Amino acid sequence: MPTEVTKMLKKILGVVLIVLGAGLAFAFFTSTADETQDAHFNKAVYVQDALIHAENEGKVIIVPGKPVLLKKATDPELRIALETPLLVRTVEIYKLVPLTEKDKQLVKYKNRLDKMWWEKVDALADKDTYRYRSTSFAGALQVGEFLIQGKYLLPLPRTDYHGFTQADAANLSLKLQNDNGRQYLSQTLFTNDDNAWQGRNSLRFSYEYTDLNKMDTYTLVGKQKGRELLYEDGDFNGTIMEGIKTKDEVLQAAAKSRKLGNIVGYVVTALLLVGGGYLTFFSKNE
Protein backbone atom coordinates (compact mmCIF):
# COMPACT_ATOMS: atom_id res chain seq x y z
CA MET A 1 0.00 0.00 0.00
CA PRO A 2 1.56 3.32 -1.04
CA THR A 3 2.57 5.61 1.74
CA GLU A 4 1.20 9.14 2.00
CA VAL A 5 4.62 10.41 0.88
CA THR A 6 4.47 8.25 -2.26
CA LYS A 7 0.99 9.51 -3.06
CA MET A 8 2.10 13.09 -2.64
CA LEU A 9 5.19 12.57 -4.82
CA LYS A 10 3.00 11.08 -7.58
CA LYS A 11 0.71 14.10 -7.50
CA ILE A 12 3.64 16.53 -7.51
CA LEU A 13 5.24 14.72 -10.47
CA GLY A 14 1.87 14.72 -12.24
CA VAL A 15 1.47 18.47 -11.77
CA VAL A 16 5.02 19.07 -13.04
CA LEU A 17 4.32 17.01 -16.18
CA ILE A 18 1.06 18.87 -16.79
CA VAL A 19 2.81 22.25 -16.45
CA LEU A 20 5.59 21.15 -18.83
CA GLY A 21 3.06 19.80 -21.33
CA ALA A 22 0.94 22.93 -21.17
CA GLY A 23 3.99 25.15 -21.62
CA LEU A 24 5.14 23.12 -24.60
CA ALA A 25 1.65 23.23 -26.12
CA PHE A 26 1.50 27.01 -25.69
CA ALA A 27 4.91 27.37 -27.33
CA PHE A 28 3.84 25.25 -30.30
CA PHE A 29 0.52 26.98 -30.91
CA THR A 30 1.86 30.53 -30.54
CA SER A 31 5.16 30.10 -32.39
CA THR A 32 5.57 31.76 -35.79
CA ALA A 33 8.98 30.17 -36.45
CA ASP A 34 7.68 27.87 -39.19
CA GLU A 35 5.98 30.70 -41.05
CA THR A 36 9.14 32.81 -40.77
CA GLN A 37 11.32 30.00 -42.13
CA ASP A 38 8.86 29.36 -44.96
CA ALA A 39 9.01 33.02 -45.94
CA HIS A 40 12.84 33.00 -45.98
CA PHE A 41 13.01 29.82 -48.07
CA ASN A 42 10.31 30.94 -50.52
CA LYS A 43 12.23 34.16 -51.23
CA ALA A 44 15.56 32.34 -51.62
CA VAL A 45 17.57 33.00 -54.78
CA TYR A 46 18.81 29.87 -56.57
CA VAL A 47 22.50 30.40 -57.44
CA GLN A 48 23.15 27.71 -60.04
CA ASP A 49 26.76 28.76 -60.73
CA ALA A 50 27.68 28.91 -57.01
CA LEU A 51 29.36 32.27 -57.58
CA ILE A 52 29.21 35.40 -55.45
CA HIS A 53 26.87 38.00 -56.97
CA ALA A 54 26.76 41.43 -55.36
CA GLU A 55 22.99 41.74 -55.80
CA ASN A 56 22.51 38.72 -53.49
CA GLU A 57 24.32 40.26 -50.53
CA GLY A 58 22.23 39.81 -47.39
CA LYS A 59 19.73 37.56 -49.16
CA VAL A 60 18.91 33.91 -48.52
CA ILE A 61 20.36 31.86 -51.36
CA ILE A 62 20.44 28.23 -52.46
CA VAL A 63 23.86 27.00 -53.54
CA PRO A 64 24.41 23.59 -55.20
CA GLY A 65 27.86 22.12 -55.75
CA LYS A 66 30.66 19.78 -54.72
CA PRO A 67 32.56 20.85 -51.58
CA VAL A 68 36.36 21.05 -51.56
CA LEU A 69 38.51 21.28 -48.44
CA LEU A 70 39.59 24.79 -47.58
CA LYS A 71 40.90 24.30 -44.04
CA LYS A 72 41.80 21.11 -42.17
CA ALA A 73 40.05 20.25 -38.92
CA THR A 74 42.67 20.29 -36.14
CA ASP A 75 42.76 19.07 -32.55
CA PRO A 76 45.09 21.71 -31.05
CA GLU A 77 45.42 19.91 -27.71
CA LEU A 78 46.90 16.74 -29.21
CA ARG A 79 48.28 18.53 -32.29
CA ILE A 80 46.39 16.27 -34.70
CA ALA A 81 45.37 17.68 -38.09
CA LEU A 82 43.62 15.54 -40.71
CA GLU A 83 42.48 16.09 -44.28
CA THR A 84 38.88 16.54 -43.23
CA PRO A 85 36.48 19.41 -42.50
CA LEU A 86 35.17 17.74 -39.33
CA LEU A 87 37.00 15.86 -36.60
CA VAL A 88 35.15 14.43 -33.59
CA ARG A 89 37.22 13.38 -30.57
CA THR A 90 35.95 10.93 -27.97
CA VAL A 91 37.82 10.79 -24.67
CA GLU A 92 37.44 7.83 -22.31
CA ILE A 93 38.76 7.27 -18.80
CA TYR A 94 39.54 3.90 -17.21
CA LYS A 95 37.78 4.14 -13.88
CA LEU A 96 36.03 2.27 -11.11
CA VAL A 97 32.28 1.95 -11.78
CA PRO A 98 29.47 0.08 -9.94
CA LEU A 99 28.49 -3.36 -11.18
CA THR A 100 25.29 -3.68 -13.19
CA GLU A 101 22.71 -6.32 -12.31
CA LYS A 102 23.96 -8.36 -15.27
CA ASP A 103 27.56 -8.09 -14.02
CA LYS A 104 26.57 -9.48 -10.63
CA GLN A 105 25.60 -12.77 -12.28
CA LEU A 106 29.14 -13.30 -13.60
CA VAL A 107 31.65 -15.43 -11.70
CA LYS A 108 34.54 -13.05 -12.28
CA TYR A 109 32.73 -10.36 -10.29
CA LYS A 110 31.80 -12.59 -7.37
CA ASN A 111 31.97 -10.72 -4.04
CA ARG A 112 32.64 -7.47 -5.92
CA LEU A 113 30.67 -4.23 -5.93
CA ASP A 114 32.54 -2.50 -8.75
CA LYS A 115 34.80 -3.01 -11.78
CA MET A 116 37.36 -1.15 -13.89
CA TRP A 117 35.72 0.16 -17.05
CA TRP A 118 36.27 2.64 -19.89
CA GLU A 119 33.74 5.49 -19.69
CA LYS A 120 33.30 8.50 -21.95
CA VAL A 121 34.42 11.87 -20.63
CA ASP A 122 31.47 14.11 -21.47
CA ALA A 123 32.09 17.59 -22.83
CA LEU A 124 29.55 19.27 -20.55
CA ALA A 125 29.15 17.09 -17.47
CA ASP A 126 32.90 16.70 -16.98
CA LYS A 127 34.04 20.15 -18.13
CA ASP A 128 35.51 21.10 -14.75
CA THR A 129 36.94 17.66 -13.92
CA TYR A 130 39.17 16.63 -16.80
CA ARG A 131 41.64 18.49 -18.94
CA TYR A 132 40.68 16.53 -22.05
CA ARG A 133 37.02 16.12 -23.00
CA SER A 134 34.98 14.69 -25.84
CA THR A 135 34.43 17.44 -28.41
CA SER A 136 34.52 18.31 -32.10
CA PHE A 137 36.85 20.41 -34.24
CA ALA A 138 35.79 22.03 -37.50
CA GLY A 139 37.76 23.20 -40.49
CA ALA A 140 36.15 24.76 -43.55
CA LEU A 141 34.87 23.83 -47.00
CA GLN A 142 34.35 25.78 -50.17
CA VAL A 143 31.43 25.32 -52.55
CA GLY A 144 31.93 27.35 -55.69
CA GLU A 145 33.16 30.70 -54.36
CA PHE A 146 31.48 30.35 -50.97
CA LEU A 147 33.12 29.65 -47.61
CA ILE A 148 31.25 26.93 -45.71
CA GLN A 149 31.94 26.43 -42.00
CA GLY A 150 30.37 26.15 -38.55
CA LYS A 151 27.02 24.36 -38.24
CA TYR A 152 26.97 23.38 -41.91
CA LEU A 153 29.64 20.81 -41.11
CA LEU A 154 27.93 19.05 -38.17
CA PRO A 155 25.43 16.98 -40.24
CA LEU A 156 28.17 15.64 -42.54
CA PRO A 157 28.56 11.83 -42.44
CA ARG A 158 31.36 10.55 -40.21
CA THR A 159 33.32 7.34 -39.90
CA ASP A 160 35.86 5.98 -37.41
CA TYR A 161 39.45 6.98 -38.11
CA HIS A 162 41.96 4.10 -38.22
CA GLY A 163 44.94 5.85 -39.78
CA PHE A 164 47.22 6.37 -36.77
CA THR A 165 50.56 4.55 -36.62
CA GLN A 166 52.75 3.39 -33.75
CA ALA A 167 55.02 6.36 -34.52
CA ASP A 168 52.08 8.78 -34.23
CA ALA A 169 51.23 7.36 -30.81
CA ALA A 170 54.86 7.42 -29.65
CA ASN A 171 55.22 11.09 -30.66
CA LEU A 172 52.38 11.86 -28.22
CA SER A 173 53.84 9.56 -25.52
CA LEU A 174 50.81 7.31 -26.00
CA LYS A 175 50.19 3.73 -27.12
CA LEU A 176 48.28 2.54 -30.18
CA GLN A 177 45.32 0.40 -29.12
CA ASN A 178 42.67 -1.45 -31.12
CA ASP A 179 39.62 -2.36 -29.05
CA ASN A 180 36.16 -3.46 -30.24
CA GLY A 181 36.76 -2.28 -33.80
CA ARG A 182 37.99 1.20 -32.86
CA GLN A 183 41.49 2.61 -32.87
CA TYR A 184 42.71 4.55 -29.83
CA LEU A 185 45.64 6.64 -28.77
CA SER A 186 45.84 5.44 -25.18
CA GLN A 187 47.81 5.85 -21.96
CA THR A 188 47.33 2.13 -21.25
CA LEU A 189 46.54 -1.02 -23.21
CA PHE A 190 44.11 -2.42 -20.64
CA THR A 191 40.57 -3.18 -21.87
CA ASN A 192 37.25 -3.67 -20.10
CA ASP A 193 37.88 -7.42 -20.04
CA ASP A 194 41.14 -6.94 -18.08
CA ASN A 195 39.50 -5.23 -15.08
CA ALA A 196 42.98 -3.96 -14.17
CA TRP A 197 43.46 -1.57 -11.27
CA GLN A 198 46.91 -0.67 -12.58
CA GLY A 199 45.34 1.38 -15.38
CA ARG A 200 43.10 3.44 -13.12
CA ASN A 201 42.43 7.01 -14.36
CA SER A 202 44.21 6.43 -17.67
CA LEU A 203 42.80 8.24 -20.71
CA ARG A 204 42.40 7.17 -24.31
CA PHE A 205 41.36 9.07 -27.44
CA SER A 206 39.50 7.96 -30.56
CA TYR A 207 38.39 9.98 -33.56
CA GLU A 208 35.64 10.13 -36.17
CA TYR A 209 36.07 12.16 -39.32
CA THR A 210 34.33 13.11 -42.55
CA ASP A 211 35.95 11.22 -45.42
CA LEU A 212 36.43 13.65 -48.31
CA ASN A 213 36.64 10.75 -50.77
CA LYS A 214 33.06 9.82 -49.91
CA MET A 215 31.68 13.34 -50.19
CA ASP A 216 29.70 14.02 -53.34
CA THR A 217 27.47 16.98 -54.13
CA TYR A 218 25.37 19.01 -51.71
CA THR A 219 22.80 21.78 -51.79
CA LEU A 220 23.09 24.47 -49.13
CA VAL A 221 20.65 27.16 -48.05
CA GLY A 222 22.15 30.15 -46.28
CA LYS A 223 22.47 33.89 -46.18
CA GLN A 224 25.18 35.53 -48.28
CA LYS A 225 27.57 37.73 -46.33
CA GLY A 226 30.64 38.63 -48.31
CA ARG A 227 32.12 35.34 -49.45
CA GLU A 228 30.68 33.37 -46.54
CA LEU A 229 27.40 31.48 -46.51
CA LEU A 230 25.86 32.03 -43.07
CA TYR A 231 23.95 29.18 -41.45
CA GLU A 232 22.28 31.47 -38.89
CA ASP A 233 21.35 35.11 -39.05
CA GLY A 234 18.61 36.61 -36.90
CA ASP A 235 15.49 34.46 -37.24
CA PHE A 236 16.89 32.54 -40.21
CA ASN A 237 18.35 29.02 -39.99
CA GLY A 238 19.97 27.36 -42.98
CA THR A 239 20.29 23.76 -44.01
CA ILE A 240 22.46 21.37 -46.00
CA MET A 241 21.11 18.52 -48.16
CA GLU A 242 22.86 15.72 -49.99
CA GLY A 243 22.74 15.89 -53.79
CA ILE A 244 21.90 18.65 -56.22
CA LYS A 245 18.37 19.88 -55.47
CA THR A 246 16.11 22.26 -57.37
CA LYS A 247 14.46 25.08 -55.45
CA ASP A 248 11.16 23.16 -55.41
CA GLU A 249 12.89 20.09 -53.99
CA VAL A 250 14.53 22.22 -51.31
CA LEU A 251 11.19 23.73 -50.31
CA GLN A 252 9.49 20.33 -50.22
CA ALA A 253 12.27 18.76 -48.12
CA ALA A 254 12.31 21.69 -45.68
CA ALA A 255 8.53 21.57 -45.27
CA LYS A 256 8.63 17.79 -44.69
CA SER A 257 11.35 18.20 -42.04
CA ARG A 258 9.41 20.89 -40.18
CA LYS A 259 6.22 18.81 -40.34
CA LEU A 260 8.01 15.82 -38.86
CA GLY A 261 9.43 18.00 -36.09
CA ASN A 262 5.96 19.31 -35.29
CA ILE A 263 4.52 15.79 -35.12
CA VAL A 264 7.22 14.73 -32.66
CA GLY A 265 6.52 17.86 -30.60
CA TYR A 266 2.79 17.18 -30.50
CA VAL A 267 3.36 13.57 -29.45
CA VAL A 268 5.70 14.61 -26.63
CA THR A 269 3.21 17.27 -25.50
CA ALA A 270 0.37 14.74 -25.46
CA LEU A 271 2.43 12.21 -23.49
CA LEU A 272 3.33 14.83 -20.89
CA LEU A 273 -0.29 15.91 -20.45
CA VAL A 274 -1.71 12.38 -20.38
CA GLY A 275 1.01 11.11 -18.04
CA GLY A 276 0.63 14.10 -15.76
CA GLY A 277 -3.14 13.80 -15.72
CA TYR A 278 -2.98 10.10 -14.88
CA LEU A 279 -0.54 10.59 -12.00
CA THR A 280 -2.49 13.52 -10.62
CA PHE A 281 -6.07 12.32 -10.94
CA PHE A 282 -6.31 8.63 -11.82
CA SER A 283 -3.36 6.70 -10.35
CA LYS A 284 -4.44 4.08 -7.86
CA ASN A 285 -3.78 4.78 -4.25
CA GLU A 286 -4.42 1.28 -2.87
Side-chain angles (χ1 to χ4, degrees), residues 8 14 58 64 107 113 189 193 236-237 240 242 253 264:
M8 183 60 67
V107 174
L113 297 175
L189 295 180
D193 292 331
F236 167 76
N237 289 292
I240 178 171
E242 289 191 41
V264 172

mmCIF file of all heavy atoms in Angstrom, residues 8 14 58 64 107 113 189 193 236-237 240 242 253 264:
data_model
loop_
_atom_site.group_PDB
_atom_site.id
_atom_site.type_symbol
_atom_site.label_atom_id
_atom_site.label_comp_id
_atom_site.label_asym_id
_atom_site.label_seq_id
_atom_site.Cartn_x
_atom_site.Cartn_y
_atom_site.Cartn_z
ATOM 1 N N MET A 8 1.824 11.678 -2.424
ATOM 2 C CA MET A 8 2.101 13.094 -2.636
ATOM 3 C C MET A 8 3.115 13.305 -3.755
ATOM 4 O O MET A 8 2.973 14.196 -4.601
ATOM 5 C CB MET A 8 2.610 13.726 -1.335
ATOM 6 C CG MET A 8 2.864 15.228 -1.444
ATOM 7 S SD MET A 8 1.372 16.145 -1.895
ATOM 8 C CE MET A 8 0.386 15.903 -0.411
ATOM 9 N N GLY A 14 2.941 14.545 -11.268
ATOM 10 C CA GLY A 14 1.869 14.724 -12.238
ATOM 11 C C GLY A 14 1.653 16.185 -12.575
ATOM 12 O O GLY A 14 1.504 16.554 -13.743
ATOM 13 N N GLY A 58 23.244 39.706 -48.424
ATOM 14 C CA GLY A 58 22.227 39.812 -47.391
ATOM 15 C C GLY A 58 20.972 39.004 -47.662
ATOM 16 O O GLY A 58 20.068 38.963 -46.819
ATOM 17 N N PRO A 64 24.077 24.986 -54.953
ATOM 18 C CA PRO A 64 24.413 23.590 -55.199
ATOM 19 C C PRO A 64 25.879 23.461 -55.627
ATOM 20 O O PRO A 64 26.438 24.379 -56.224
ATOM 21 C CB PRO A 64 23.476 23.226 -56.352
ATOM 22 C CG PRO A 64 23.356 24.504 -57.130
ATOM 23 C CD PRO A 64 23.508 25.646 -56.146
ATOM 24 N N VAL A 107 30.734 -14.877 -12.697
ATOM 25 C CA VAL A 107 31.647 -15.434 -11.701
ATOM 26 C C VAL A 107 32.821 -14.508 -11.425
ATOM 27 O O VAL A 107 33.253 -14.340 -10.276
ATOM 28 C CB VAL A 107 32.165 -16.816 -12.163
ATOM 29 C CG1 VAL A 107 33.227 -17.346 -11.203
ATOM 30 C CG2 VAL A 107 31.021 -17.797 -12.292
ATOM 31 N N LEU A 113 31.695 -5.254 -5.799
ATOM 32 C CA LEU A 113 30.672 -4.226 -5.933
ATOM 33 C C LEU A 113 30.934 -3.319 -7.125
ATOM 34 O O LEU A 113 30.065 -2.557 -7.549
ATOM 35 C CB LEU A 113 30.599 -3.378 -4.663
ATOM 36 C CG LEU A 113 30.191 -4.111 -3.377
ATOM 37 C CD1 LEU A 113 30.281 -3.161 -2.192
ATOM 38 C CD2 LEU A 113 28.781 -4.672 -3.511
ATOM 39 N N LEU A 189 47.106 -0.050 -22.285
ATOM 40 C CA LEU A 189 46.536 -1.023 -23.214
ATOM 41 C C LEU A 189 45.489 -1.913 -22.553
ATOM 42 O O LEU A 189 44.992 -2.860 -23.168
ATOM 43 C CB LEU A 189 47.655 -1.892 -23.825
ATOM 44 C CG LEU A 189 48.655 -1.128 -24.712
ATOM 45 C CD1 LEU A 189 49.706 -2.076 -25.263
ATOM 46 C CD2 LEU A 189 47.933 -0.418 -25.862
ATOM 47 N N ASP A 193 37.768 -6.022 -20.444
ATOM 48 C CA ASP A 193 37.885 -7.421 -20.036
ATOM 49 C C ASP A 193 38.995 -7.649 -19.014
ATOM 50 O O ASP A 193 38.973 -8.618 -18.255
ATOM 51 C CB ASP A 193 38.138 -8.316 -21.252
ATOM 52 C CG ASP A 193 36.932 -8.381 -22.178
ATOM 53 O OD1 ASP A 193 35.804 -8.232 -21.663
ATOM 54 O OD2 ASP A 193 37.122 -8.570 -23.382
ATOM 55 N N PHE A 236 16.693 33.489 -39.104
ATOM 56 C CA PHE A 236 16.892 32.539 -40.209
ATOM 57 C C PHE A 236 17.831 31.407 -39.789
ATOM 58 O O PHE A 236 18.842 31.634 -39.134
ATOM 59 C CB PHE A 236 17.491 33.243 -41.432
ATOM 60 C CG PHE A 236 18.010 32.291 -42.474
ATOM 61 C CD1 PHE A 236 17.137 31.618 -43.308
ATOM 62 C CD2 PHE A 236 19.372 32.048 -42.586
ATOM 63 C CE1 PHE A 236 17.613 30.714 -44.253
ATOM 64 C CE2 PHE A 236 19.854 31.153 -43.522
ATOM 65 C CZ PHE A 236 18.971 30.477 -44.361
ATOM 66 N N ASN A 237 17.477 30.178 -40.183
ATOM 67 C CA ASN A 237 18.345 29.018 -39.991
ATOM 68 C C ASN A 237 18.481 28.285 -41.312
ATOM 69 O O ASN A 237 17.481 27.963 -41.970
ATOM 70 C CB ASN A 237 17.757 28.065 -38.949
ATOM 71 C CG ASN A 237 17.844 28.641 -37.548
ATOM 72 O OD1 ASN A 237 18.919 28.790 -36.994
ATOM 73 N ND2 ASN A 237 16.702 28.978 -36.982
ATOM 74 N N ILE A 240 21.604 21.994 -45.007
ATOM 75 C CA ILE A 240 22.463 21.366 -46.002
ATOM 76 C C ILE A 240 21.838 20.033 -46.371
ATOM 77 O O ILE A 240 21.400 19.281 -45.501
ATOM 78 C CB ILE A 240 23.910 21.188 -45.474
ATOM 79 C CG1 ILE A 240 24.777 20.479 -46.514
ATOM 80 C CG2 ILE A 240 23.939 20.456 -44.139
ATOM 81 C CD1 ILE A 240 26.266 20.475 -46.152
ATOM 82 N N GLU A 242 22.047 16.499 -49.064
ATOM 83 C CA GLU A 242 22.859 15.720 -49.992
ATOM 84 C C GLU A 242 22.267 15.781 -51.389
ATOM 85 O O GLU A 242 21.056 15.748 -51.565
ATOM 86 C CB GLU A 242 22.951 14.264 -49.532
ATOM 87 C CG GLU A 242 23.805 14.075 -48.285
ATOM 88 C CD GLU A 242 24.092 12.614 -48.015
ATOM 89 O OE1 GLU A 242 24.362 11.867 -48.969
ATOM 90 O OE2 GLU A 242 24.012 12.217 -46.836
ATOM 91 N N ALA A 253 11.520 19.454 -49.166
ATOM 92 C CA ALA A 253 12.273 18.758 -48.116
ATOM 93 C C ALA A 253 12.234 19.533 -46.807
ATOM 94 O O ALA A 253 12.095 18.944 -45.723
ATOM 95 C CB ALA A 253 13.727 18.555 -48.558
ATOM 96 N N VAL A 264 6.497 15.199 -33.849
ATOM 97 C CA VAL A 264 7.218 14.725 -32.661
ATOM 98 C C VAL A 264 6.890 15.607 -31.460
ATOM 99 O O VAL A 264 6.650 15.125 -30.346
ATOM 100 C CB VAL A 264 8.737 14.716 -32.913
ATOM 101 C CG1 VAL A 264 9.494 14.409 -31.624
ATOM 102 C CG2 VAL A 264 9.094 13.685 -33.982
#
